[in-house]
Amino acid sequence: MSPLHGKHIVLGICGGIAAYKSVSLLRLLVKAGAEVQVVITPAGKEFITPVTLSALSQKPVVSEFFTANTGEWHSHVDLGLWADCMVIAPATASSIGKMAHGIADNMLITTYLSAKSPVFLAPAMDLDMMAHPSTQANLKLLKSYGNHIIEPEVGYLASGLIGKGRMEEPEKIVEALEKFFVRSQDMKGRKVLITAGPTYEKIDPVRFIGNYSSGKMGYALADECASRGAEVTVVSGPVSIIPGNPDVAVVSVESAREMLAECEQRFPDTDVAIMCAAVADYAPAEVADAKIKREHQDVPVIRLVKNPDIARTLGQVKKAGQTLVGFALETDHEIENATEKLARKNLDMIVLNSMRDKGAGFGTDTNKIAIITPDGCRADFPLKSKADVAKDIVDKILSLKN
């Protein structure tokens, strides 16, 4: 039985020549057992008739906000709540721009803005439109909102040119949807603990020792695990972001010792722990009760003491069946340092990134990683968005046999 069996799917069709492929896509979705509601833009009806789509879906096609002859109102809110997912294929440059900026001037865009479920877009347009900076910026913005982009193919286009912009084939779109619904349950029943962000170690009431971690990688991992059915808790240092997934629980801490206490409390009941936080290695030995005034004192000498190693502490009490994942951000001798940490901390895998890789490290929206396991295997990945890196990390976690 297809993972799409019994799913409610809104199929959005925009005004492009690739709309002819939407008929095949609709047939395949219905054949897989999905219940499909077609929402088509006014321009889309110039390329394919609602009669054809209605015959295949066994549902009236929705295009306008209300039916002219009866005044029946079509609720985009109800459609957004009904859907298990929304697929817009083809997604034209015009509709992509409207979705990115909330220009709700037709039924399809208002339904998108009301959707509570995952949204997939299959862009289709000529190669110059696809490559234009505005289109690329809009797609990047939509992806940052959590939308899934099914990249177009390189091939013959309506203009007679050859390039990237040809809508992905219906079979591949259905395959992407099926993979998504399988992945959405592959961590169901697991409890996941993630640390994220920096720690701040107080010098006095207004100053601290810290680092540049934004928490983006840890929060991307939290969203990914939650989207795949896990019960997720993030123990987070001070950051300015929130989870994209409302099911993620966040416990806010400031210092390394506070983070350790929260992790020690939760780890015994955890199936997977991912130590992604950039924990300060050192903290001031003494914390001043009042702000240190430079006018009345000599330059202060701050004596440092080692902070606890949270990952190693958990590794010492790890039980059979638990998975412990560490991170290593290195500036030199990357592989050697990460491999040493993997063994010393009793980790099941370590995620390595290097400050020498452009686009990786603190504060970026991208990352470039290698994953090393105790058997000596190493998997290298290209530069990707942190959301896509999170997918790779979780896939690897699920492949481990502890």
Side-chain angles (χ1 to χ4, degrees):
M1 184 181 294
S2 168
L4 301 180
H5 184 84
K7 296 291 190 255
H8 294 167
I9 298 177
V10 169
L11 173 59
I13 302 175
C14 303
I17 190 64
Y20 78 90
K21 289 185 177 181
S22 302
V23 177
S24 298
L25 177 57
L26 174 56
R27 285 187 69 254
L28 290 170
L29 292 173
V30 171
K31 186 177 179 180
E35 187 177 344
V36 184
Q37 175 62 64
V38 176
V39 180
I40 191 169
T41 65
K45 291 189 289 185
E46 301 296 324
F47 292 87
I48 187 168
T49 68
V51 173
T52 301
L53 300 166
S54 180
L56 291 171
S57 67
Q58 297 294 299
K59 287 179 176 291
V61 172
V62 175
S63 180
E64 310 296 340
F65 291 106
F66 59 90
T67 304
N69 58 341
T70 65
E72 179 186 0
W73 176 257
H74 300 139
S75 174
H76 55 88
V77 175
D78 289 347
L79 276 175
L81 293 172
W82 173 84
D84 293 309
C85 81
M86 185 175 186
V87 187
I88 303 176
T92 60
S94 174
S95 289
I96 287 170
K98 291 177 180 180
M99 293 168 67
H101 299 283
I103 302 174
D105 65 350
N106 63 51
M107 187 67 184
L108 177 57
I109 306 302
T110 55
T111 301
Y112 161 73
L113 293 173
S114 298
K116 304 296 184 187
S117 58
V119 178
F120 293 79
L121 290 84
M125 63 197 76
D126 211 70
L127 74 164
D128 291 328
M129 296 175 71
M130 185 67 198
H132 196 279
S134 64
T135 303
Q136 291 301 309
N138 287 334
L139 286 170
K140 183 178 180 180
L141 189 58
L142 287 172
K143 195 169 184 179
S144 75
Y145 295 159
N147 297 290
H148 303 266
I149 311 299
I150 301 174
E151 291 289 336
E153 297 178 308
V154 174
Y156 286 97
L157 305 170
S159 63
L161 300 174
I162 299 175
K164 184 174 182 179
R166 183 180 175 87
M167 188 179 104
E168 181 60 277
E169 295 303 316
E171 292 81 4
K172 294 288 184 67
I173 295 174
V174 170
E175 183 181 326
L177 295 177
E178 289 180 330
K179 284 182 178 178
F180 171 81
F181 279 107
V182 169
R183 287 165 66 98
S184 69
Q185 297 297 312
D186 60 9
M187 293 196 81
K188 190 174 181 63
R190 299 196 188 201
K191 290 186 177 181
V192 177
L193 174 67
I194 299 172
T195 62
T199 63
Y200 288 175
E201 312 300 331
K202 285 186 176 180
I203 297 172
D204 63 21
V206 298
R207 301 181 181 92
F208 61 86
I209 294 172
N211 56 60
Y212 296 114
S213 175
S214 64
K216 290 179 180 178
M217 191 68 251
Y219 278 70
L221 282 162
D223 288 340
E224 178 65 16
C225 290
S227 74
R228 296 167 80 154
E231 180 183 332
V232 182
T233 299
V234 178
V235 179
S236 177
V239 297
S240 61
I241 58 176
I242 61 173
N245 191 308
D247 294 329
V248 174
V250 176
V251 178
S252 296
V253 297
E254 185 173 90
S255 69
R257 294 184 184 279
E258 290 172 351
M259 185 172 283
L260 173 62
E262 294 292 346
C263 288
E264 285 184 313
Q265 177 184 335
R266 289 166 172 77
F267 186 62
D269 296 325
T270 293
D271 298 300
V272 179
I274 307 174
M275 301 290 99
C276 189
V279 181
D281 292 325
Y282 300 95
E286 297 89 22
V287 178
D289 294 330
K291 179 182 176 182
I292 300 171
K293 298 285 189 177
R294 68 177 178 177
E295 293 87 355
H296 306 299
Q297 297 184 24
D298 295 331
V299 176
V301 175
I302 301 174
R303 186 171 65 88
L304 300 177
V305 294
K306 281 188 176 182
N307 267 330
D309 186 327
I310 299 175
R312 188 178 184 184
T313 301
L314 300 186
Q316 291 171 343
V317 297
K318 184 181 66 172
K319 299 176 293 188
Q322 288 184 303
T323 299
L324 182 60
V325 178
F327 272 69
L329 177 60
E330 301 292 340
T331 59
D332 59 276
H333 304 291
E334 290 91 340
I335 301 300
E336 296 91 334
N337 289 336
T339 303
E340 186 273 330
K341 287 181 180 179
L342 176 71
R344 175 165 50 86
K345 301 185 182 190
N346 193 26
L347 304 174
D348 296 291
M349 67 181 238
I350 193 163
V351 180
L352 166 66
N353 47 33
S354 171
M355 289 296 289
R356 293 194 289 183
D357 288 327
K358 186 177 180 180
F362 291 151
T364 66
D365 292 322
T366 55
N367 209 352
K368 183 180 180 183
I369 67 166
I371 296 176
I372 304 171
T373 48
D375 57 6
C377 291
R378 184 178 109 207
D380 294 289
F381 298 84
L383 186 71
K384 297 182 179 183
S385 71
K386 286 184 174 175
D388 287 336
V389 171
K391 291 181 173 63
D392 292 333
I393 292 171
V394 175
D395 286 344
K396 185 63 177 178
I397 290 171
L398 291 173
S399 73
L400 297 175
K401 293 179 174 58
N402 292 338

